[in-house]
Amino acid sequence: MSAVKSGLTSGNFWKAASLWFICLLYVLFQGGKTSFMLFTMINVLALYWVICSLAGVKRVRGQRSLSLNGELTGKQAIQAGSQVEVKLRLQLPTLIMLPYLIVNEQLQRHNGDSWKYEDSMVPRLGSHLELIYQTPPLERGKYSFRATEFRSKDIFGLLEHEGAFRAEGEFYVLPRTIFIPRWQLFSRNSRYSGPETTILQSRRETTQINGVRDYIYGDRISRIHWNATAKTGSWKSKEFERESIPKTMIILDAHAGSYVAREAFELAVSTVASLLEFGGRERINMGLCILGREVWGSAPTESPLERQQMLHQLVDISPEGSGNYQAQLEQRKELFNAGAFFIIITPLADQLLFDMLRWAKRSQMAPFHIHINSTGNVDSRMRPGSLYNRQEIAGIQLSSLTELPVLLGGGRG
């Protein structure tokens, strides 16, 4: 019935119906063998058009598979900047011969952006077809394929038929990240240590072996795990447990009024993701609090699973928040423990920011501000040397993701 309804609204249907009606009038008023033969041919052609419409492109079905570097991805998350290879396997109808097939694919992002792909193929009777193409480098977000659409004409090239089907194809792209070798904030000799961080200890290793890791150039010979190296055939080093350090809470400003350009918010999200990866690698208890339309938070943890959930929370987030910052922080006060690091990532550098920082200090936390400045225009009054020293807080000013490892004191990533 849906095919009939779509046919009644098609212009091609009314063209064919008009032609058939004219031939019918020709038979009724003119008569003779010629008119009857012409009317018979039109009926045969109309029957062919009906069969093509109901059992042609509308019967095309298929399956979609996604792969990255030759490995199937399914619904797992991939890293930003990756290109996904899409393989569309089509099952063609066995009764109708299609002269050609035009395939339209549309990949849609969570924010409404879309990317279209179109290709034409010449099928064989009763065969399978494979369409393989590659997406452009993808930015963070949740992606899904819309219904795959087909177009084809009959063998006479008179009428065009359309069809569609929906195949599974959904995946996630994580934010861009950069490798951070070290962060001076967690160093025993950090110049950022203040009265709130007197319990800070350097991240020194103990003598307790905690596992085995891959060999890193520069490791001492005494660190090499010879048994694991012999079993695996590649160099392995011993991993020792580290002394505990204060917990760390990362606060992301996701208010709409804070970001003039979308690039600034992308930089803020990538900064959060890079810090979370650094915390996972160094086994630091890190939590995340997002001040958006709703306040979302996760307590500091070393669990890889919960850290992965924090990263997934950043996949489709948008700057849509509003309201009072301090009131939002008070909503999730249980996340902010005394003695913890309070890492605020925001483009703000005004009274609203310092109200949050003073709230953190009153809660006996050590504040650290990462100022997002994607334009690269640095006001001399807002440089860390003048802006932060007056308030006795630590902070950096970030204009691109590549600067993050340097500004944190760990060299270039």
Side-chain angles (χ1 to χ4, degrees):
M1 291 302 297
S2 61
V4 173
K5 291 180 180 178
S6 62
L8 293 175
T9 58
S10 172
N12 290 329
F13 170 80
W14 291 109
K15 291 178 183 178
S18 301
L19 181 61
W20 182 88
F21 187 69
I22 291 173
C23 291
L24 177 62
L25 294 177
Y26 185 46
V27 171
L28 295 176
F29 293 99
Q30 179 66 29
K33 294 182 179 180
T34 302
S35 60
F36 182 76
M37 185 182 301
L38 181 60
F39 184 67
T40 302
M41 294 173 58
I42 286 296
N43 279 281
V44 173
L45 185 58
L47 179 63
Y48 170 72
W49 283 337
V50 171
I51 295 175
C52 285
S53 177
L54 298 178
V57 292
K58 292 186 182 299
R59 294 294 181 181
V60 176
R61 293 294 179 265
Q63 293 180 336
R64 183 186 293 108
S65 60
L66 310 175
S67 61
L68 182 65
N69 299 325
E71 298 181 0
L72 295 178
T73 61
K75 288 188 177 181
Q76 70 184 33
I78 63 176
Q79 200 65 37
S82 302
Q83 293 180 281
V84 178
E85 184 182 86
V86 183
K87 180 183 292 186
L88 192 65
R89 183 175 174 83
L90 304 176
Q91 173 66 51
L92 304 180
T94 56
L95 299 177
I96 302 300
M97 181 65 181
L98 302 175
Y100 68 89
L101 192 65
I102 297 178
V103 183
N104 284 281
E105 286 268 81
Q106 184 172 354
L107 179 63
Q108 192 162 19
R109 195 181 174 198
H110 69 275
N111 62 353
D113 295 343
S114 61
W115 175 79
K116 295 181 180 181
Y117 178 83
E118 182 176 288
D119 199 4
S120 60
M121 299 179 291
V122 178
R124 295 192 298 268
L125 183 63
S127 65
H128 292 84
L129 284 179
E130 276 193 355
L131 176 64
I132 301 176
Y133 62 92
Q134 200 170 39
T135 67
L138 301 173
E139 295 300 324
R140 71 167 183 95
K142 184 185 296 183
Y143 291 84
S144 61
F145 285 90
R146 303 191 68 179
T148 303
E149 298 178 350
F150 303 98
R151 299 198 316 272
S152 181
K153 287 188 176 181
D154 58 74
I155 57 176
F156 303 104
L158 298 177
L159 293 183
E160 186 176 70
H161 304 280
E162 298 179 351
F165 77 90
R166 186 176 294 275
E168 184 178 357
E170 187 174 292
F171 58 94
Y172 307 90
V173 179
L174 296 175
R176 290 183 181 272
T177 58
I178 192 168
F179 178 77
I180 302 174
R182 62 188 63 87
W183 192 353
Q184 285 186 357
L185 185 68
F186 295 98
S187 172
R188 176 197 294 210
N189 301 320
S190 173
R191 62 186 176 88
Y192 299 135
S193 298
E196 302 86 357
T197 59
T198 54
I199 62 173
L200 249 182
Q201 300 292 328
S202 63
R203 192 66 161 162
R204 294 179 299 177
E205 292 179 338
T206 65
T207 58
Q208 182 68 33
I209 297 178
N210 192 41
V212 180
R213 61 169 172 79
D214 291 332
Y215 173 82
I216 299 177
Y217 180 78
D219 283 348
R220 298 188 304 272
I221 296 180
S222 59
R223 290 193 66 116
I224 298 177
H225 199 294
W226 297 105
N227 290 338
T229 300
K231 289 180 180 179
T232 60
S234 59
W235 290 100
K236 299 292 182 180
S237 296
K238 301 172 185 176
E239 182 74 15
F240 296 95
E241 289 186 357
R242 296 175 180 268
E243 294 180 349
S244 61
I245 64 173
K247 297 179 180 180
T248 302
M249 275 300 300
I250 301 174
I251 296 87
L252 173 63
D253 178 7
H255 279 216
S258 301
Y259 297 91
V260 178
R262 188 168 70 175
E263 292 75 14
F265 186 70
E266 294 299 324
L267 176 58
V269 172
S270 296
T271 301
V272 173
S274 300
L275 296 181
L276 289 175
E277 286 194 353
F278 169 78
R281 193 171 59 252
E282 297 295 325
R283 297 181 181 177
I284 300 173
N285 280 294
M286 279 193 174
L288 176 63
C289 181
I290 301 175
L291 306 180
R293 179 185 297 176
E294 297 179 355
V295 182
W296 184 91
S298 179
T301 179
E302 286 189 15
S303 169
L305 179 60
E306 294 188 24
R307 198 178 302 272
Q308 197 67 21
Q309 290 176 352
M310 297 180 203
L311 288 173
H312 278 275
Q313 193 67 27
L314 300 173
V315 167
D316 57 353
I317 186 175
S318 301
E320 300 175 343
S322 60
N324 184 275
Y325 286 96
Q326 191 168 332
Q328 289 184 321
L329 291 173
E330 290 283 356
Q331 290 180 22
R332 301 305 305 272
K333 193 174 182 179
E334 72 278 2
L335 299 174
F336 305 99
N337 299 319
F341 282 119
F342 183 89
I343 314 297
I344 177 72
I345 301 174
T346 175
L348 296 178
D350 53 12
Q351 191 61 39
L352 292 175
L353 168 68
F354 292 120
D355 287 343
M356 286 189 284
L357 298 178
R358 280 195 290 269
W359 179 87
K361 298 187 77 171
R362 287 197 304 269
S363 302
Q364 298 181 351
M365 291 182 287
F368 187 92
H369 176 215
I370 298 181
H371 181 226
I372 301 299
N373 182 29
S374 61
T375 60
N377 299 323
V378 182
D379 189 343
S380 60
R381 298 171 299 174
M382 296 169 57
R383 294 180 185 274
S386 58
L387 176 66
Y388 301 128
N389 289 344
R390 295 197 305 269
Q391 302 291 332
E392 296 182 353
I393 61 171
I396 60 173
Q397 192 158 25
L398 188 65
S399 58
S400 68
L401 189 61
T402 55
E403 296 177 356
L404 185 60
V406 180
L407 293 175
L408 294 182
R412 295 191 177 276

